[in-house]
Amino acid sequence: MKKILLSFALILYVITAFSQVKLQSVKIDSLVTVSLPVGYQKKDTLGQHIYSANASYGFMTVIAAPNEKNNTPLKKEADLNEVLKKYIASIQGQSGAYSSAIRQRDTTIGTLKAKLFTLKNDDGTGNLQMVNFTLLYTQDVTYTFEYVYPDLRKELVKDEYKAFASSIKLSPQLQRNDQYLSNAKGLSPVLKVAIFGGGAIVLVLIIVTIVRRRKKLSLS
């Protein structure tokens, strides 16, 4: 029985390997390109450009959503982090009570900062659908890259998803100041501890010195 199952699995693997959907480079706009399956569809809805296609194991979607024309430039990285946090909360909120944003982490694409996370959707019966997100914010446009797949395929989708996610390319025209204006980081946590900790020690030494002097004066 095991030999039969192994043979069937091998045949299935060979069939799947030969039926892999080919990816082609697609220009989302003048600044961003990504690889999508041949035969992808494009729709323009409410000013958003939406690209979507079935892949071998999952479903790929790319959304380029223009921000408001009077969008205020972000001043620092903390402001960008807050914007990305709100986007994730909004996506999770629109996905239902049984959805949760997991595996949140930062990455860089070109010179820009992006946010990766996975949205886990449960239909309430234990069937899980996963959506791997890459969020890329610029002052003019917010780009969302999605790869949707059933949790049962999580081992199968790895190479396909990697090919999709790693294919995101940005024009050199996009620089960090297209996300936020100031690169100033402020004081690092370690430096803050050193400064404030050192200040506290100096203050203690001054107090001890004053107390000792007063004691000596009182004794004399």
Side-chain angles (χ1 to χ4, degrees):
M1 184 64 180
K2 288 184 179 180
K3 289 183 178 180
I4 294 174
L5 290 174
L6 288 172
S7 299
F8 177 75
L10 180 60
I11 293 169
L12 182 61
Y13 174 80
V14 172
I15 292 173
T16 303
F18 281 106
S19 63
Q20 290 286 315
V21 173
K22 291 184 179 180
L23 302 181
Q24 68 180 73
S25 182
V26 177
K27 205 169 186 178
I28 303 303
D29 56 25
S30 61
L31 300 173
V32 177
T33 60
V34 68
S35 293
L36 291 172
V38 175
Y40 68 88
Q41 294 184 337
K42 180 186 176 184
K43 293 182 180 180
D44 293 331
T45 305
L46 300 175
Q48 299 183 16
H49 304 303
I50 304 173
Y51 298 77
S52 59
N54 279 308
S56 298
Y57 302 112
F59 187 77
M60 300 176 183
T61 302
V62 180
I63 302 173
N67 296 324
E68 295 180 5
K69 291 184 179 180
N70 59 349
N71 189 32
T72 304
L74 302 179
K75 293 181 179 179
K76 52 187 183 298
E77 187 175 0
D79 298 328
L80 174 63
N81 293 337
E82 188 63 26
V83 167
L84 295 175
K85 182 180 178 181
K86 288 180 179 178
Y87 267 105
I88 294 173
S90 176
I91 291 170
Q92 181 176 332
Q94 294 172 17
S95 302
Y98 295 101
S99 299
S100 57
I102 60 175
R103 298 198 288 268
Q104 298 184 36
R105 56 207 184 278
D106 296 330
T107 189
T108 54
I109 302 175
T111 59
L112 302 192
K113 180 175 181 176
K115 178 71 76 173
L116 304 178
F117 73 98
T118 298
L119 186 72
K120 182 171 71 173
N121 294 312
D122 190 334
D123 64 3
T125 64
N127 294 318
L128 298 180
Q129 182 187 67
M130 316 298 282
V131 189
N132 290 343
F133 277 89
T134 300
L135 289 180
L136 180 66
Y137 173 90
T138 69
Q139 183 180 338
D140 296 326
V141 181
T142 298
Y143 302 89
T144 308
F145 304 85
E146 305 174 26
Y147 183 84
V148 186
Y149 62 95
D151 186 56
L152 293 173
R153 295 183 187 174
K154 61 185 176 183
E155 295 300 323
L156 295 173
V157 306
K158 289 181 178 179
D159 289 341
E160 184 172 85
Y161 169 65
K162 183 179 180 181
F164 170 58
S166 63
S167 72
I168 303 171
K169 305 298 181 187
L170 307 183
S171 165
Q173 294 178 35
L174 278 176
Q175 294 297 318
R176 183 54 61 85
N177 58 8
D178 288 296
Q179 293 190 303
Y180 54 89
L181 300 178
S182 174
N183 286 324
K185 297 289 186 179
L187 297 177
S188 69
V190 174
L191 188 56
K192 285 181 180 179
V193 170
I195 292 174
F196 292 115
I201 292 173
V202 171
L203 182 61
V204 169
L205 290 175
I206 291 173
I207 293 172
V208 169
T209 302
I210 292 172
V211 170
R212 285 179 176 176
R213 284 181 179 178
R214 286 181 177 179
K215 284 184 177 179
K216 287 181 179 179
L217 289 172
S218 62
L219 290 173
S220 60

